């Protein structure tokens, strides 16, 4: 239910390997000659062979035809792949429950199935509907021209050389994506607002008056967009780990810098208490110094691990990936220990944690997730996914400035140039403005260093009918943590399930402690 690891890392590598939001029109304003979607005759059958879990669960799959361009509803259509697990208790059936796992760029055909352990008895009251967003997975997928074999870092480098390489890669990704096949016709229609419209088309195709929804990370923002475009079609909507609707995607990346450094401080204090095991320093400051020395060295000479050179930008992304969850503290310590040993020429085989990350870096899934993220980051005209500066020097200047206060993560969140800087087709619509009273249940962790807590508070103020459940944890994602092996937050899980069960929001905002925490 979290943002998939390949997606999260892929968005960062989009820049390495490959101002406020403009005033939006009224959120309910249709685009061009947009018309209401209709019920469709769907050809239900087994899901594709790739969807093993869905088939084992007895799900069926189908395709919903939607307009490529909602301003031209009679024009070209594309296919949205959906899955369905029917409500196990027809007499208690509430309706349909859709979900999105985040990204942007995450596929979701099996995502609602993955929610079942957390939903518990509530799952039997809903038809669980999964879907791949347009142009991803099995929904009229878009691909880019092959990138060719990656160029590994050389034996020596500089921060500017690393940045210039990321700029060249982003420019090449934009070219390969826009010039491939009929992408020039498709890509202008990759936007969060269109995915929300596709969700409404799914609802109509199934003959349902409204839909319920759970989304995490970018999926949370997608849910908020849906409530603005289709307020009367929103039933019970839960958004987990959301962002400030007054910021662009690049600004949201930048705002994560401070919380990421705070998360690293928290981890460093923990690692200092584990010095006898990891040997990274007996105080938090000494642990931080160990990390900084590692990065400073890699900015001159990339570190070789298992025959693969790792430069400082890639190391920073791995650190960011692991610092998100408190439960990953031991893995982060193990990875840093291995990298320090590798830099000193003392590492034999990497430990299982670093070996798994190296496998992810070399996975073909990483490239696919990078492409999916780029489509929506470049297609949105503002919040939640768009708004990227065009001048590469903007990223470089911000990177240089950030090092004084954010020495570890400032270069990541400020220098993450997306292919959007070189995208030829401008967004068709502005970002989405938030201003209505649709009831929404919001969840957020206070120490979320991916999408900071202050952003959720800003969205909460705009969603005037919402209730906010706060979890005092370092985590990205709050609901269903126990089913993923993390420390659960029972009162947050209960709030979600109670809302889906009986439709009652909490009477006030809540603050929850994780399981077993002192109260």
């Amino acid at each position: 239910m979290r943002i998939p690891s390949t997606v999260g890392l892929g968005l960062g590598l989009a820049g390495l390997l490959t101002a406020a939001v403009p005033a939006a029109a009224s959120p309910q304003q249709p685009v061009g000659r947009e018309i209401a979607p209709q019920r469709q005759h769907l050809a239900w059958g087994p899901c594709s062979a790739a969807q093993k879990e869905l088939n084992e669960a007895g799900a069926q799959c189908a395709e919903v035809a939607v307009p490529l361009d909602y301003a031209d509803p009679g024009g070209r259509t594309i296919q949205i792949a959906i899955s369905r697990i029917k409500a196990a208790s027809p007499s208690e059936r509430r309706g349909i429950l859709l979900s999105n796992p985040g990204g942007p760029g995450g596929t979701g055909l099996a995502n609602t199935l993955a929610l079942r352990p957390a939903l518990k008895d509530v799952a039997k009251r809903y038809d669980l509907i999964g879907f791949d967003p347009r142009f991803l997975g099995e929904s009229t997928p878009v691909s880019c021209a092959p990138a060719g074999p990656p160029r590994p870092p050389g034996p020596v480098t500089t921060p500017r050389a690393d940045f210039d390489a990321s700029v060249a890669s982003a420019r090449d990704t934009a070219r390969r994506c826009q010039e491939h096949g009929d992408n020039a016709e498709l890509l202008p229609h990759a936007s969060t607002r269109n995915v929300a419209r596709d969700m409404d088309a799914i609802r109509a195709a199934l003959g349902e008056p409204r839909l319920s929804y759970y989304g995490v990370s970018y999926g949370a923002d997608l849910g908020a967009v849906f409530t603005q475009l289709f307020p009367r079609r929103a039933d019970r909507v839960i958004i987990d780990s959301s962002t400030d609707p007054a910021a662009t995607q690049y600004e949201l990346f930048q705002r994560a810098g401070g919380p990421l450094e705070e998360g690293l401080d928290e981890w460093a204090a923990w690692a200092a208490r584990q010095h006898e095991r990891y040997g990274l320093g007996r105080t938090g400051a000494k642990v931080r110094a160990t990390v900084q020395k590692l990065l400073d060295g890699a900015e001159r000479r990339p570190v070789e691990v298992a025959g693969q050179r790792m430069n400082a930008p890639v190391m920073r992304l791995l650190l960011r990936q692991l610092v998100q969850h408190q439960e990953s503290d031991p893995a982060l310590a193990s990875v840093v220990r291995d990298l320090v040993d590798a830099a000193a020429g003392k590492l034999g085989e990497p430990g299982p944690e670093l070996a798994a990350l190296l496998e992810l870096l070399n996975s073909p899934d990483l490239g696919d997730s990078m492409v999916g993220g780029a489509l929506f980051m470049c297609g949105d005209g503002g919040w939640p996914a768009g708004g990227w500066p065009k001048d590469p020097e903007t990223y470089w200047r911000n990177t240089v400035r950030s090092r004084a206060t954010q020495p570890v993560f400032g270069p990541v969140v400020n220098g993450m140039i997306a292919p959007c800087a070189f995208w030829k087709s401008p967004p068709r619509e502005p970002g989405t403005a938030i201003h209505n009273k649709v009831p929404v249940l919001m969840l957020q962790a206070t120490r979320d260093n991916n999408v900071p807590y202050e952003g959720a508070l800003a969205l909460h103020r705009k969603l005037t009918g919402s209730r906010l459940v706060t979890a005092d944890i370092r985590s990205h994602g709050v609901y269903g943590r126990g089913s993923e092996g993390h420390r659960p937050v029972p009162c947050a899980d209960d709030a979600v399930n109670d809302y889906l069960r009986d439709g009652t929001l909490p009477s006030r905002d809540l603050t929850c402690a994780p399981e077993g925490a002192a109260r």
Side-chain angles (χ1 to χ4, degrees):
M1 286 172 291
R2 306 295 159 252
I3 179 171
S5 59
T6 53
V7 173
L9 200 54
L11 294 184
L13 290 171
L16 298 174
L17 309 177
T18 59
V21 178
S26 171
Q28 287 76 46
Q29 179 179 334
V31 176
R33 296 185 293 112
E34 184 175 350
I35 59 175
Q38 303 295 316
R39 183 162 190 171
Q40 301 178 29
H41 173 73
L42 301 180
W44 292 103
C47 301
S48 68
Q51 301 297 333
K52 183 179 179 181
E53 292 181 350
L54 283 170
N55 286 318
E56 290 177 348
Q60 290 185 309
C61 286
E63 292 183 333
V64 175
V66 302
L68 170 66
D69 182 355
Y70 278 89
D72 181 18
R76 179 177 176 179
T77 61
I78 58 175
Q79 303 299 316
I80 304 300
I82 67 171
S83 65
R84 179 179 66 182
I85 299 176
K86 289 187 175 182
S89 180
S91 63
E92 299 178 280
R93 183 182 181 277
R94 169 70 192 178
I96 58 173
L97 175 65
L98 279 70
S99 69
N100 182 277
T107 57
L109 204 58
N111 190 66
T112 315
L113 169 64
L115 293 174
R116 282 206 300 187
L119 291 168
K120 299 179 181 176
D121 68 294
V122 174
K124 67 182 181 181
R125 299 169 181 253
Y126 290 86
D127 288 355
L128 304 180
I129 308 296
F131 75 101
D132 284 344
R134 57 171 51 202
F135 308 138
L136 304 175
E138 299 182 21
S139 292
T140 309
V142 163
S143 62
C144 300
R151 296 179 60 182
V156 295
T157 188
T158 66
R160 181 70 205 206
D162 288 339
F163 175 76
D164 288 343
S166 71
V167 172
S169 182
R171 181 182 285 108
D172 181 63
T173 298
R175 178 192 59 79
R176 290 186 295 102
C177 287
Q178 295 197 297
E179 297 178 2
H180 185 61
D182 63 347
N183 287 0
E185 180 184 358
L186 298 174
L187 293 180
H189 305 288
S191 71
T192 302
R193 290 168 72 91
N194 278 340
V195 174
R197 293 179 179 114
D198 294 343
M199 289 167 56
D200 191 56
I202 293 169
R203 173 204 60 76
L206 295 172
E208 297 289 336
R210 295 192 293 174
L211 65 81
S212 294
Y213 176 84
Y214 169 84
V216 61
S217 194
Y218 166 79
D221 296 340
L222 170 62
V225 170
F226 183 86
T227 67
Q228 305 305 296
L229 296 180
F230 305 103
R232 291 178 293 277
R233 302 302 189 188
D235 191 6
R236 298 169 184 177
V237 175
I238 301 102
I239 59 176
D240 186 343
S241 307
S242 49
T243 61
D244 183 352
T248 67
Q249 178 67 276
Y250 179 60
E251 289 167 342
L252 294 172
F253 269 95
Q254 288 181 294
R255 293 180 187 184
L260 281 164
E261 297 287 344
E262 292 169 4
L264 194 68
D265 285 340
E266 185 179 319
W267 165 79
W270 174 89
R273 297 192 294 272
Q274 308 294 323
H275 177 72
E276 298 304 322
R277 178 176 181 182
Y278 297 107
L280 298 177
R282 295 187 179 278
T283 66
K286 290 181 178 179
V287 173
R288 286 282 309 227
T290 298
V291 172
Q292 195 63 53
K293 181 180 178 181
L294 172 68
L295 293 172
D296 290 346
E299 287 187 326
R300 298 186 299 272
R301 293 184 178 276
V303 175
E304 186 166 328
V305 182
Q308 179 174 335
R309 290 195 189 108
M310 300 181 66
N311 59 17
V314 170
M315 286 186 188
R316 286 185 163 97
L317 283 171
L318 299 185
L319 295 175
R320 178 178 182 176
Q321 190 74 8
L322 291 170
V323 81
Q324 290 184 69
H325 296 282
Q326 187 169 341
E327 290 86 354
S328 298
D329 283 354
L332 177 54
S334 176
V335 166
V336 172
R337 180 69 265 166
D338 279 358
L339 290 174
V340 168
D341 288 345
K346 299 178 180 178
L347 181 67
E349 291 295 319
E353 295 86 359
L354 182 54
L357 289 170
L358 291 172
E359 182 179 358
L360 175 59
L361 287 170
N362 292 305
S363 167
D365 293 339
L366 188 63
D368 292 341
S369 65
M370 180 192 73
V371 170
L375 300 186
F376 292 93
M377 291 192 298
C378 303
D380 273 11
W383 186 86
W388 294 85
K390 291 293 186 181
D391 182 6
E393 290 305 308
T394 299
Y395 299 85
W396 175 249
R397 288 192 297 269
N398 291 340
T399 294
V400 172
R401 281 195 293 264
S402 72
R403 287 175 177 267
T405 57
Q406 299 169 13
V408 173
F409 295 110
V412 174
V413 298
N414 289 278
M416 193 177 292
I417 185 168
C420 314
F422 310 103
W423 219 244
K424 293 180 181 178
S425 55
R428 295 289 184 93
E429 297 182 81
T432 300
I434 302 291
H435 51 71
N436 69 15
K437 297 182 179 180
V438 175
V440 173
L441 180 62
M442 300 181 63
L443 310 175
Q444 195 83 12
T446 54
R447 305 197 300 283
D448 190 328
N449 52 50
N450 191 311
V451 292
Y453 185 63
E454 289 72 17
L457 292 178
L459 183 61
H460 181 34
R461 289 191 291 268
K462 294 285 188 178
L463 289 169
T464 57
S466 63
R467 289 288 184 271
L468 176 62
V469 176
T470 296
D472 187 19
I473 53 176
R474 173 162 46 98
S475 172
H476 183 50
V478 174
Y479 179 62
R481 299 182 85 246
S483 63
E484 297 181 346
H486 292 165
R487 195 176 183 187
V489 186
C491 92
D493 290 352
D494 290 345
V496 171
N497 291 347
D498 289 347
Y499 183 44
L500 289 172
R501 186 183 297 109
D502 59 30
T504 302
L505 286 170
S507 59
R508 56 182 176 79
D509 292 346
L510 303 174
T511 298
C512 299
E515 185 176 63
R519 299 179 185 275

